[in-house]
Amino acid sequence: MKDFEHLLEKAVADGVVIGAVVCAKGNVNYSNAFGNRAIRPKAEPMTQDTVFVLASMTKLMTSIAVLQLVERGIVAMDDDIAPLLPVLARQPILTGFKENGTPITKDRKGPITLRHLLTHSVGGSYEFSSGDISQWKKIQGTLGKPGTTVDEVFGHPLLYEPGESWSYGSASDWAGKVVEKLSGLSLEEYMKRHIWAPLGLENITFWPDTNPDMAKRLCSMSIRDTRSGKAVQSRKLIPMTPGAREAFGGQGAYATMGDYTEILNSLLTDDERLLKRETAATMFQPQLSGGPQKALDEAFSNPQWAVGYYPPGAYNWCLGGLLVEGKTEASWRKPGTMLWGGAINSAWFIDRATGVCGVFGSNLLPSADPQIEVLMTGFEEEIYKKAAKERPKTHL
């Protein structure tokens, strides 16, 4: 790992990043911390117990929670769960705007299912990635305004009939509310009982402010200075869900990279502590075809919006994240690899064919920073090189 370590140490010295934590498990076991988690009012070294904002890396845990409920027979993937989400269910489909700016909408006709939510084909989007949603929220006077609940933040029209296209957005946040409705538990309590506790994890939460030990280990937020191009510490932590009064299953959790890697490793090794093998297998199956597949292909024809390295190739979306469905220019990734990232420039991957999983953790904005992408790619390539040298004892 010397080449990668030199790359990241130089990045810290050059101000590309203030600090980072990386972890890998499976046929390669590696973890390391670089730089600092804070540089003012005094320097605090980055350590393995540093707590990071997970942002959209939260989505994988919410997918696991949903699949656990399906596994127990509480709900089916294709049941109409609209009655559980009344605010989402009453949203019309936004088809455009009149010349005077009045929105043009039509009623939704089909069901809303968990499959739609986990594959981002329900019709929702983020305001920052949809001009139509931004325009609608501007008309409503809510553009850029934080909300305290999923209903408040994402209670806006759909862009298409569920199942007819694909758009990355708030679907996992709605899925988290389904978990709460069907389990009778808050999302925090559900995950604590059914995801974190089975793996012995104590460094993941939606509410770090209520845990003094975790709060003091939070990584500071850094931003890319537009003048110098260097990473500088933000004056304060920039929350993904400011003012939230409930857990957001698509973006609201915090964790150490080590604890998060244990979740990845459970899925990698099929240890059945989170999901039965047959259920886990479904998580890695491609879900999109037709219109949704076409929309995803278009989105990843220019993937500069997405955190991570997604060169040209064959992609799909599965029940846990982006799926490498065939060959890509990242030739080391095997088909069946599942991966995704979070807005603060962190990313994870699980490659069950190679037998490795890993996560790159940083806390830097803006999202999809090209300089961080180089470091992420360097980390991933080094893990695969090491996996190739160390003959795996078993094949998954």
Side-chain angles (χ1 to χ4, degrees):
M1 299 295 293
K2 289 183 179 180
D3 289 345
F4 165 71
E5 289 171 354
H6 175 72
L7 176 70
L8 198 34
E9 287 166 357
K10 186 176 187 303
V12 171
D14 292 346
V16 172
V17 65
I18 289 176
V21 172
V22 295
C23 299
K25 295 204 77 170
N27 291 325
V28 175
N29 287 291
Y30 176 80
S31 62
N32 210 339
F34 300 84
N36 297 290
R37 66 175 170 224
I39 55 177
R40 67 168 191 258
K42 65 177 181 178
E44 297 180 32
M46 188 72 80
T47 61
Q48 295 289 335
D49 68 355
T50 296
V51 176
F52 289 85
V53 177
L54 292 185
S56 285
M57 298 206 306
T58 306
K59 290 176 170 64
L60 177 63
M61 297 190 295
T62 300
S63 292
I64 292 169
V66 168
L67 290 173
Q68 287 178 340
L69 297 179
V70 172
E71 189 174 81
R72 295 170 192 150
I74 296 173
V75 66
M77 286 296 298
D78 297 309
D79 286 350
D80 185 1
I81 47 87
L84 298 174
L85 301 170
V87 171
L88 177 62
R90 64 172 175 257
Q91 298 304 320
I93 296 172
L94 180 63
T95 60
F97 298 88
K98 296 180 180 179
E99 289 186 4
N100 64 2
T102 302
I104 303 172
T105 63
K106 64 179 182 179
D107 291 338
R108 175 182 56 83
K109 296 180 180 179
I112 295 174
T113 70
L114 288 172
R115 196 179 305 277
H116 293 146
L117 294 180
L118 295 193
T119 60
H120 295 275
S121 59
V122 72
S125 181
Y126 292 127
E127 66 179 53
F128 63 80
S129 59
S130 168
D132 283 349
I133 295 302
S134 294
Q135 179 65 15
W136 184 89
K137 298 194 83 167
K138 184 177 181 180
I139 292 171
Q140 303 299 314
T142 59
L143 182 63
K145 291 186 177 180
T148 62
T149 66
V150 173
D151 288 350
E152 289 179 1
V153 177
F154 300 121
H156 51 64
L158 304 177
L159 297 175
Y160 49 83
E161 187 72 31
E164 291 188 355
S165 190
W166 183 92
S167 53
Y168 186 66
S170 58
S172 296
D173 298 285
W174 294 112
K177 290 184 70 69
V178 173
V179 172
E180 292 184 328
K181 292 285 184 69
L182 293 178
S183 69
L185 301 171
S186 69
L187 196 58
E188 168 91 4
E189 186 59 31
Y190 181 90
M191 289 189 180
K192 186 181 296 183
R193 294 187 189 185
H194 300 288
I195 298 177
W196 308 333
L199 299 180
L201 308 181
E202 298 181 348
N203 292 288
I204 306 185
T205 183
F206 285 91
W207 311 111
D209 290 344
T210 66
N211 184 324
D213 179 57
M214 287 188 69
K216 71 182 182 182
R217 291 185 278 121
L218 276 174
C219 186
S220 63
M221 186 66 73
S222 58
I223 57 176
R224 180 75 63 207
D225 182 72
T226 55
R227 292 184 179 180
S228 67
K230 294 186 176 183
V232 297
Q233 184 174 320
S234 172
R235 290 190 299 272
K236 59 182 179 180
L237 185 68
I238 304 173
M240 294 294 102
T241 52
R245 291 191 291 108
E246 64 183 17
F248 281 60
Q251 61 192 60
Y254 298 73
T256 62
M257 292 298 93
D259 273 22
Y260 193 84
T261 305
E262 291 301 326
I263 295 173
L264 304 180
N265 192 52
S266 180
L267 297 175
L268 173 72
T269 60
D270 259 342
D271 62 16
E272 298 194 290
R273 289 188 290 173
L274 298 181
L275 296 170
K276 295 178 181 177
R277 289 187 177 182
E278 55 268 29
T279 305
T282 66
M283 178 178 267
F284 289 80
Q285 295 299 311
Q287 298 293 316
L288 305 184
S289 60
Q293 177 68 66
K294 183 179 179 180
L296 181 133
D297 289 343
E298 183 176 348
F300 282 89
S301 66
N302 184 19
Q304 294 180 1
W305 58 274
V307 175
Y309 178 51
Y310 309 107
Y315 298 102
N316 205 298
W317 199 270
C318 58
L319 298 178
L322 186 70
L323 184 73
V324 177
E325 193 171 21
K327 291 183 178 180
T328 75
E329 290 185 11
S331 58
W332 56 88
R333 293 173 180 162
K334 300 297 188 296
T337 298
M338 182 168 65
L339 66 166
W340 198 233
I344 39 63
N345 291 294
S346 296
W348 58 267
F349 65 91
I350 306 172
D351 184 339
R352 305 215 295 180
T354 303
V356 292
C357 64
V359 63
F360 181 104
S362 70
N363 259 26
L364 181 140
L365 290 172
S367 184
D369 181 85
Q371 295 184 71
I372 301 296
E373 181 183 288
V374 172
L375 303 178
M376 291 177 174
T377 306
F379 168 63
E380 193 177 315
E381 287 185 293
E382 281 291 305
I383 293 300
Y384 276 85
K385 287 178 183 177
K386 191 171 177 61
K389 291 178 180 178
E390 297 182 9
R391 296 179 180 177
K393 297 178 181 179
T394 59
H395 293 272
L396 295 175

